[in-house]
Amino acid sequence: MTRSARIETAAYWIGLVLIGWALVSFLFVPLGTALVTAFVRDGSIALGEITGELARSRRVRQAIWNTVWMTAATTITVTIVGVFQVMVLEYFHVRGRAILKIAFAIPLVFGSIVAAAGYNFTYGPSGVLTVALQRWWPDLPSNWFHGWHGVLFIHTMLMTSFFFLFLRAAMRRVDFSTIEAARSLGAGEWTILRRVVLPVILPTLLAVILLTVYGAIGSFAAPQILGGRDFHMLSQVILTLNSLRRQDMAALLALLMGVVVMGLILLSQYYEAKGSYVGGSKTPVPIQLRRLHNPLANAALQGIAWLMALLYIVPVGLVILFSFAPAASIGVETLPSSLTLKNYIRVFTEGRASGPAWNSARMGLIAVATGLAVTLFAVPVMLKTRGWIGRFLDLSFFLPWVVPSILLAVGIIAAFDTPNPLIFGGVLLGSWWILPVAYTVVILPLMVRFLRAAFTGIDPALEEAARSMGAGGLYRFRRVILPIVLPTSILVAGMTFNDLMTEYPLSAFLYNVNNRPLPIAIVDGAMSPDPEEKAVNLVYSVLIMGFSLAVILFAERIGLGRGPRSDQQ
């Protein structure tokens, strides 16, 4: 064995040992600790006792009921709105379709905690539209938008992104020749949709509905900001129990949520795997957009589509506009009377305003860099190794995808609130590093999924040619493999970094005074009456939206996810 081969072998085993240690320490041990915490008290099984305490708590019962019925209501409203949007973009002829497509894509850049804060800025107690409405209707309560209806509204507006991304692609697999054949046989529009279109898109439709259920169950930012004092969901109660040092009750509730979420994700993957069915020929004829000849039906279709687009556009426009307005105008003026760059200068120069953004950026960069290093090493091992090592890595990188981040957070708190030998006697709880560690764990599944697809698509002949010319493993990876997967690596890094800048559940459980991240600052600013805090919040939102848009444009440029076009502009 040559010296370079020995170095490569040593690096291989050192890398495996480090990854194995990290997965055991920061994934399996926290999850195991969460299970023990949920079932064991004072060294004995106390499941019945803990369950009884939860059952006797009126607030816990109410939160569970709120989560159940809000999830059901969200699933219904999101499915109706999401299917309508897809039909507007891919089946019916609607004027201004290009603008509607941009409007319906807004949740991709204006989502999560940024959207919750943005809708609160628009409709909340001192929101722009609330101030405008109170001039015409003085008796309107300032908190008219807060409560279950506000949470349901924002769920409905934001979670349609699943339909925009996945159901539109499924609609493009519908063979228009089958629609024409059904129409020539006298089938009506409703019959065609039910008997021809629906069977093709049904697996994808079921998958996105399950993803919607998954998102609604774990909803955190929306009820935290818009739920008000009387409407709480399960995630909020788990956080409260954890802060009260009732980690046994918090862990059991998080475990309950985890079991439900795991089942939903497994079901969604099952239906996603069935979603490759294509009706008609192997090369489907693109759908010709259908014009409604009934003037009333056509007017209703156009009107609802544009009203929906307006509901998406207005909050984004107001957030961007008021980010350039003096803080004194927020909550007072319907439209700012003057514009300034003072808010942006403050965010970039003042420590108190820039601190949370800088914290999130540093922690996100560390997590992304670590995650990329782990993924670029582990994915080739997973693809080439068929033994227990490959299976262990597969299971490990799949777990954070199906385990709710709240359950992982509770486990990390329970496992590392005292000196732990796995981290050489250190204590993570209360340290700056606890969030970068947790962030790294939760982003690994997304990185592995995308980069695994990138590695799978590499022609083996390229590496074989380099090997036949005497190139070593590290040289082949650096000069042959890495340039091919680099665009996908950059895109995945941008996507995960952007997600971490708005990651709220983990941040809410694990942050401390040493590492207060941007999502916590956004929630605090959204709920603060101080206009200066609100002005800074608007700048945060605009910067995050700008970065999200840049990531999407880069994805389009490298062609990731771009399929054959089946629509006509």
Side-chain angles (χ1 to χ4, degrees):
M1 182 181 292
T2 63
R3 182 172 180 271
S4 62
R6 288 196 299 270
I7 293 175
E8 290 177 11
T9 302
Y12 172 82
W13 286 109
I14 291 172
L16 281 181
V17 169
L18 289 175
I19 290 177
W21 164 78
L23 291 173
V24 170
S25 300
F26 305 120
L27 178 60
F28 288 103
V29 167
L31 292 179
T33 305
L35 291 175
V36 172
T37 305
F39 295 133
V40 178
R41 178 186 292 173
D42 298 328
S44 59
I45 301 296
L47 178 60
E49 184 180 348
I50 299 172
T51 304
E53 291 177 357
L54 288 173
R56 288 191 294 271
S57 171
R58 185 186 64 83
R59 186 172 185 181
V60 170
R61 295 197 307 271
Q62 187 63 49
I64 293 175
W65 170 241
N66 287 344
T67 302
V68 170
W69 76 256
M70 177 58 70
T71 299
T74 297
T75 303
I76 294 171
T77 57
V78 170
T79 301
I80 293 172
V81 173
V83 170
F84 175 81
Q85 291 179 2
V86 171
M87 290 299 166
V88 166
L89 297 178
E90 303 295 333
Y91 192 80
F92 293 111
H93 183 275
V94 179
R95 293 174 181 172
R97 184 163 159 269
I99 299 177
L100 291 175
K101 187 180 296 185
I102 295 173
F104 295 160
I106 282 177
L108 298 177
V109 298
F110 188 66
S112 183
I113 198 166
V114 172
Y119 278 93
N120 185 68
F121 172 75
T122 305
Y123 303 107
S126 58
V128 177
L129 291 185
T130 298
V131 172
L133 289 173
Q134 286 178 330
R135 292 176 180 174
W136 296 91
W137 187 10
D139 295 332
L140 179 70
S142 296
N143 63 344
W144 68 277
F145 193 71
H146 280 188
W148 66 266
H149 49 281
V151 176
L152 181 59
F153 179 81
I154 195 171
H155 280 183
T156 304
M157 298 301 292
L158 297 183
M159 293 185 187
T160 54
S161 57
F162 296 133
F163 291 79
F164 183 87
L165 289 173
F166 303 121
L167 196 61
R168 286 179 62 225
M171 278 294 297
R172 295 182 180 188
R173 294 197 297 266
V174 177
D175 190 347
F176 186 67
S177 63
T178 61
I179 296 177
E180 286 292 279
R183 189 171 291 144
S184 66
L185 293 172
E189 203 64 52
W190 171 246
T191 302
I192 291 173
L193 288 173
R194 182 169 54 90
R195 301 293 297 274
V196 178
V197 176
L198 183 60
V200 179
I201 67 172
L202 184 60
T204 304
L205 178 61
L206 293 175
V208 296
I209 288 175
L210 287 170
L211 286 174
T212 302
V213 176
Y214 165 66
I217 288 176
S219 179
F220 203 163
Q224 184 78 358
I225 294 177
L226 299 171
R229 292 181 297 178
D230 300 324
F231 184 82
H232 302 281
M233 292 181 66
L234 198 54
S235 299
Q236 296 167 279
V237 172
I238 295 173
L239 178 62
T240 300
L241 289 171
N242 186 76
S243 64
L244 295 174
R245 306 299 296 174
R246 291 307 311 267
Q247 292 179 341
D248 51 352
M249 299 172 70
L252 187 56
L253 283 179
L255 181 62
L256 173 65
M257 180 185 294
V259 171
V260 175
V261 167
M262 284 185 221
L264 290 171
I265 291 184
L266 292 174
L267 276 175
S268 70
Q269 289 196 334
Y270 169 76
Y271 285 116
E272 183 181 359
K274 293 178 62 178
S276 59
Y277 172 75
V278 178
S281 61
K282 292 184 178 180
T283 306
V285 177
I287 289 180
Q288 306 296 317
L289 297 181
R290 173 74 171 160
R291 293 178 180 270
L292 291 179
H293 298 293
N294 186 313
L296 291 179
N298 185 59
L301 178 70
Q302 308 273 346
I304 295 174
W306 279 99
L307 175 61
M308 196 173 294
L310 195 64
L311 291 174
Y312 280 113
I313 293 171
V314 167
V316 177
L318 290 175
V319 166
I320 295 174
L321 181 62
F322 273 89
S323 71
F324 294 97
S329 66
I330 296 176
V332 178
E333 299 179 349
T334 304
L335 292 175
S337 56
S338 62
L339 299 177
T340 178
L341 290 175
K342 182 180 177 180
N343 300 329
Y344 286 85
I345 295 173
R346 182 183 174 194
V347 166
F348 285 107
T349 58
E350 293 186 16
R352 185 167 178 267
S354 63
W358 175 236
N359 281 336
S360 283
R362 282 193 299 165
M363 293 186 292
L365 287 173
I366 291 172
V368 169
T370 305
L372 272 181
V374 171
T375 306
L376 289 172
F377 176 86
V379 168
V381 174
M382 293 163 60
L383 293 176
K384 296 177 181 179
T385 304
R386 301 299 179 186
W388 67 269
I389 293 177
R391 290 193 296 271
F392 171 76
L393 292 176
D394 269 328
L395 172 64
S396 301
F397 293 129
F398 179 71
L399 265 181
W401 197 291
V402 299
V403 172
S405 57
I406 290 176
L407 179 60
L408 180 64
V410 171
I412 290 176
I413 291 171
F416 297 107
D417 64 345
T418 56
N420 193 308
L422 286 171
I423 54 173
F424 313 104
V427 178
L428 272 183
L429 188 62
S431 71
W432 187 88
W433 286 98
I434 190 169
L435 272 178
V437 168
Y439 285 168
T440 303
V441 174
V442 298
I443 65 176
L444 283 175
L446 181 66
M447 286 188 164
V448 169
R449 183 166 185 172
F450 276 96
L451 286 175
R452 185 167 188 161
F455 274 97
T456 304
I458 297 175
D459 188 352
L462 296 174
E463 192 172 3
E464 285 299 321
R467 181 184 287 110
S468 67
M469 298 178 67
L474 292 177
Y475 186 86
R476 294 196 306 272
F477 180 83
R478 181 169 57 89
R479 298 299 298 272
V480 178
I481 304 299
L482 189 58
I484 297 176
V485 301
L486 186 60
T488 302
S489 300
I490 295 174
L491 175 62
V492 172
M495 291 170 58
T496 51
F497 180 80
N498 183 69
D499 289 342
L500 292 178
M501 293 295 285
T502 58
E503 207 293 325
Y504 184 66
L506 270 180
S507 302
F509 276 84
L510 300 178
Y511 89 97
N512 53 71
V513 294
N514 301 311
N515 60 6
R516 182 172 178 259
L518 188 56
I520 302 301
I522 290 176
V523 170
D524 292 344
M527 302 173 70
S528 170
D530 184 1
E532 295 287 343
E533 293 292 325
K534 292 185 179 297
V536 170
N537 246 20
L538 297 178
V539 176
Y540 289 155
S541 299
V542 173
L543 294 177
I544 290 173
M545 283 191 290
F547 188 83
S548 301
L549 181 60
V551 171
I552 292 175
L553 293 177
F554 180 74
E556 283 292 318
R557 185 171 183 85
I558 70 172
L560 190 66
R562 184 184 300 165
R565 295 181 60 82
S566 61
D567 58 324
Q568 294 185 353
Q569 299 296 335

